[in-house]
């Protein structure tokens, strides 16, 4: 049956670029405040992440695996030129993020270094797996953001088969809809409805300048949470003053 | 994207009727012996089951829920006349079994007594949920086979939304493909690839007569597992003799 | 430190009596609709429940256990005349429900038949345990509503000690504040903020008459979910007509 | 290597008979008080239990399964006349209890109705499984105490093989040594070191008369836990008086 | 109700300093030998730990969260000048360790970099959370010992509210009482009853000299566990000799 | 009872050396293809691993712990000169790997730095624990491969006792038979039936040259998974050409 839910907004590459400056924690909390309670993916952690990269951002392409059924795997390989997960991988475009639903299956790995390498070549920005990857050692050598729940030595044919491409899926207890904006960093991953990206970027920018510089400076001078986090009226005047004096406003 | 795996066999109502005489345990084990390792649904137990019924059998109709996303739930109710899970329920035909994938979500219930009552009216044979049902007390009053992993007081809008109808899904760690034959009894549920039903019925019939009568009789007379379960050559002669003497052969 | 959150409403015994007619499922869903997302206690099920009772209702008295520390247990028994959990039990008044937080500790039982018997004598209406009870056989003989997560043969001194009485606690993933109204039935337990009881009773009453009689009657005659659950405009006219004809309006 | 731990006491059939009057909860708590902290088997519950039986008692015979390895299963069936679990079952003598360690494996069943029937014939008193049984419906028809962690439709060859007979094993998080005395009732199972049985029986007998009659009578008359459970000095005089008056002392 | 258990000993800053030389493993095992069976916090691991620090030590200040209830959160922010967790944080004094009980709630983070920074300024030595922290990347930049069960992008208002300050709590399955001495290192955290610190320091000092130097030296020369760990009579003479020869005794 | 399953093949030290070049992922997948479905140990991860080492390989020596029983621990220390786990450790020979079954017990540690140091001296290659180790900081200083499910501060006498040496055991959900070849790397551990080692080495060698050089080179040039992984007929010709041109064939 045709998919019932779908995203209606799109996000420009420029906005994606700006989103890279927002942390997963900041975005997750902003989304809760905007009324999206459940967008941080629980338990999906960066197992491979380039040292020199702060975050990665892209548009969700989804892939769904279900437990292998012996006759249907044969059917797939007879009827199709390619297995659907290979088709999914080959469809990756610049600024896509591949998100994989295995039903939290921890008994085999679905992504290894070859798939990761191909995805990187095609312009993919990250891989996020609600399950296991395999060959972590070699995956790390590809130097690309790969997030998952764990590691398993087995490969797909041990116990899974792919059945859905660009459907709405589940990952880390969160719905991921094709076209969702996926932001990942060392704290994990968050699925952002496309229409929310602009507000998140804007509020993070406003907030971050305040927080990252002045509040921390004041805390290091002994300011109290009660007066300075968030700043009360008096502190806010102090802050405005400081901004003027330092040429920020 | 179009679904990639699909059943190619169908099963007559007559054969479904015969399958009712096979137990879930017998069918599960037969499937392992036929090379289908993973067809018994783990942890999905009968929470409501008519006292006077031994089992239920039907063709799988599938429904998939994912975690609620606040904007998309609104979209569903704006764009569609009906939510997909209501469409799924209304599509039920004689000898269908509704199988629901919630991703093992234990934090709200997806089936209550009204849905169960409607499904029964339409000729459905059972409901199987990889998650929770609600209002168990009233569901029991409908006197209809409902299997699930647990009970929760909440309803769908608490945390889920339906997104897929008659797709391949997961339930109890098992793949369920539309058209699979679902057999349920007090031991739980098993998904049977349609092309396997005939062999299961045949082998169960042969086996059951032997086991249910003669082996148990012999065990109660003190026969050893070593000689009589399964019967060795000598015991088999004894059995043939007994069958003749009692008019079974 | 003094407790920070507390209930400010109270509920009359008459209203408690009316709440008994509402099911846990109905109340849980009403609370979600009223903006209280998390009031149904997950995984806390009736292990003992009188056959002739539909539900039980009362005001929460709370008790908190933490893991036993060897020196502090000795201190308790030296400094106090009575252990705090005995004091809690003896404080029970008419229409109280005892709710116990053990931190989901499954490694010993905290309630047996003697405590249950005493609580019943004092007018308590139910016991709800986020953990295990012991001596289920004898607890059942008391014929009193006891809900818990499981059974363990051990007793309190095996691994727990009581430290808090009438504090805010956790039970089944839900906050329970002294004075919350606890409703239990065969579907489990729900903690109702006192100010919500009246609305729940009212909306359940309105809803139930409709649902319990007419909708089920219509469904049994073949009405569709699309038109009759909830009833659309046309069905609602039909319903009003039926009410008039049958003397309900 | 030869087993390192072993029981050195034995228990007479007469004492086993007396132990039947003690509940699993009473025995578990007595053992904690005697310094045996970990003898109640957590999560192993009666799935089949004769209605007219209060408890079952016997000497532990142990069996250990590990995950199937494909070559070694073939080896077993080539080198041995019988699989070890069949040998274990056939070795059962009057007043034995079969205790099975599967490593809490929930992915197949190890005991069905035929094995249960044979064990009953040989004088076995109960079966206790740290894992799953299969064919619960037919097992119940044997009307024999069978305790386990769950139900699975699969059979042993799906994923297990037996490797040890009458070794020390784990069951429900508890060590079970061949010759341990196993007591089971509707609250589960407890493994009793043989040298402890006499003391448990004695203390239960003393305690139970007190508790089961007088304390409950007093509680039903309104006595407080503070004075009557356990009875304080004054209550004890009252109790002695009551015993004299009623001809118990 | 007033707290029932409380520490009666205090520990000097000098003794805290000496405790820093003891490892969490050594202290945990010493406590078991001293009759305190359950003091190591299971599953609470260092997520941020300064590279140049071996351990941290301090006096427990406790904070308890329970699941958010919508009306009570509003009440908190109306009735109080500050939320209790901010009050708790601001109360931190030199050589305190903040220990937080969230009920093992893994669905939001309760500590981020700002709170950590403030706690460090006030003289706190570590933060230990039975739940999740957020913004791990920035927390790491504070370069301060923070131990927790996991990471979540959400913040407190997503699903928790604070209700207790300096109460007895649970953390990692262990009771933590205000004033307990908390020792953390890369192996996790242990709660030490204050009266035990002196003995632990003394026995660790005696033991460590032996173990850390001579035993390891002997093992590297090929000594057997049987003779040298712990040293038997002969080895002990050898050790005394070695100490004399090397000027240690 | 004598062990029922046992390995019948042995593997030369030379072949072990060659196996070191194969990754755990490659070996796990090869075993699935050879019909051994369940040889990768789930959840057993390297907690200590020498930086300059790619993998470790050796013959399994097994050790089994069960929950401590108070009387039997005393018996062990009275009847035996040495506890069985010390005997096991002292029995280690060149190219052994110690594999320990604790029943996934996460409540105490069974291996610390002293045992690790002794095992290394005796020629052991790695330690693999289905449970916890202790004193991770010092274990890391030994610079030796130690894999486990977690860390706990407690030591063996807290809750375990050893009962079996060189028996078939379970580790990470996998059977380990004495003499199995254990391969560990940063992806975890795999138990290889000895008769399979040669084929794994051979197929890995063939496969790796192809994969590690040419496929990755081609992917980095933009080759598609469809044509080059695995290489289709055309690509294979291209590969043969490349090998010739570069002097590999």
């Amino acid at each position: 049956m045709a998919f019932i839910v779908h995203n209606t907004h799109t996000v420009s590459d420029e906005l994606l670029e700006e989103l890279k400056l927002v942390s997963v924690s900041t975005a997750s909390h902003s989304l809760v405040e905007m009324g999206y309670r459940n967008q941080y993916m629980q338990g999906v952690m960066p197992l491979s992440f380039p040292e020199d990269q702060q975050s990665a951002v892209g548009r969700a392409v989804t892939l769904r695996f279900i437990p292998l059924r012996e006759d249907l795997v044969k059917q797939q390989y007879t009827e199709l030129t390619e297995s659907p997960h290979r088709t999914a991988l080959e469809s990756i475009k610049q600024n896509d993020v591949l998100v994989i639903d295995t039903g939290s299956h921890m008994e085999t790995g679905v992504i290894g270094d070859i798939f990761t390498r191909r995805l990187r070549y095609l312009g993919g920005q990250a891989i996020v797996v609600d399950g296991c990857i395999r060959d972590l050692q070699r995956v790390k050598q590809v130097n690309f953001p790969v997030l998952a729940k764990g590691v398993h030595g087995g490969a797909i044919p041990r116990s899974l088969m792919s059945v859905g491409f660009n459907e709405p899926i589940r990952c880390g207890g969160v719905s991921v809809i094709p076209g969702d904006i996926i932001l990942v960093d060392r704290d994990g991953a968050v699925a952002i409805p496309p229409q929310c990206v602009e507000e998140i970027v804007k509020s993070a920018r406003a907030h971050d300048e305040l927080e990252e510089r002045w509040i921390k400076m004041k805390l290091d001078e002994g300011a109290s949470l009660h007066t300075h986090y968030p700043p009360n009226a008096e502190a806010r005047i102090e802050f405005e003053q400081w901004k003027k004096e330092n040429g920020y406003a």
Side-chain angles (χ1 to χ4, degrees), chain A:
Chain A
M1 204 174 106
F3 304 127
I4 290 147
V5 295
H6 49 95
N7 280 308
T8 50
H9 289 69
T10 53
V11 174
S12 69
D13 285 355
E14 291 68 33
L15 195 52
L16 292 186
E17 203 58 39
E18 293 190 68
L19 186 60
K20 284 189 188 160
L21 302 173
V22 182
S23 75
V24 164
S25 279
T26 299
S28 301
H29 182 49
S30 293
L31 283 162
V32 172
E33 291 193 325
M34 293 162 73
Y36 293 86
R37 286 182 45 83
N38 190 36
Q39 301 301 128
Y40 175 81
M41 300 181 197
Q42 211 175 328
V44 181
M45 296 306 288
L47 302 187
S48 162
F49 213 89
E51 284 228 358
D52 58 351
Q53 209 173 322
Q54 271 305 307
S55 65
V57 165
R59 301 176 185 91
V61 167
T62 71
L63 181 56
R64 186 161 66 97
F65 286 88
I66 60 172
L68 171 153
R69 207 174 85 192
E70 290 76 359
D71 57 334
L72 298 175
V73 165
K74 280 184 208 145
Q75 188 193 88
Q76 279 196 336
Y77 285 90
T78 311
E79 294 191 5
L80 300 166
T81 337
E82 291 300 333
S83 68
H85 50 271
R86 282 158 177 274
T87 303
L89 272 155
E90 286 294 333
S91 81
I92 291 293
K93 296 183 307 297
Q94 186 62 35
N95 286 342
D96 280 347
V97 168
L98 180 63
V99 186
I100 300 177
D101 175 354
T102 74
S104 295
H105 185 83
M106 302 303 283
E107 293 172 32
T108 207
V110 293
I111 284 289
D113 63 326
I114 296 287
F115 283 6
T116 303
R117 200 172 281 267
R118 178 65 178 154
L119 193 125
R120 185 186 60 182
Y121 182 87
L122 294 168
Q125 299 298 309
I127 301 175
V128 184
V129 185
D130 189 59
C132 290
I133 62 166
R134 60 191 305 266
D135 219 342
L136 177 58
Q137 299 195 62
R138 286 187 189 139
V139 166
K140 277 183 172 164
Q141 288 161 15
V142 184
N143 203 28
F144 185 80
V146 179
L147 296 90
K149 287 189 167 167
V151 171
H152 196 289
I156 295 167
R158 183 174 186 261
S159 47
L160 292 172
M161 62 184 180
S162 50
V163 292
F165 172 45
N166 269 342
E167 298 170 325
I169 60 166
R170 260 184 310 263
C171 185
V174 167
S175 286
V176 178
I177 315 297
D180 278 358
I181 305 309
I182 308 298
L183 167 66
V184 305
D185 65 17
R186 283 179 185 78
D187 280 16
V190 60
I192 309 177
Q195 71 275 18
C196 301
V197 174
E198 196 156 1
E199 188 172 335
I200 287 170
V201 165
K202 211 184 297 173
S203 96
R205 215 187 289 138
H207 175 74
D208 273 2
E209 184 177 349
L210 195 66
E211 182 174 343
E212 290 296 321
R213 290 173 163 262
W214 190 72
I215 294 185
K216 286 179 186 173
M217 190 189 79
K218 296 307 289 183
L219 285 172
D220 291 346
E221 294 168 19
S224 157
L225 298 173
H226 292 340
T227 51
H228 283 74
Y229 183 66
N232 62 15
E234 209 167 325
R236 213 159 269 281
I237 292 167
E238 187 189 348
F239 175 53
E240 294 305 321
Q241 188 65 31
W242 174 83
K243 284 203 287 188
K244 266 187 230 153
E245 285 168 9
N246 291 272
Y248 295 112

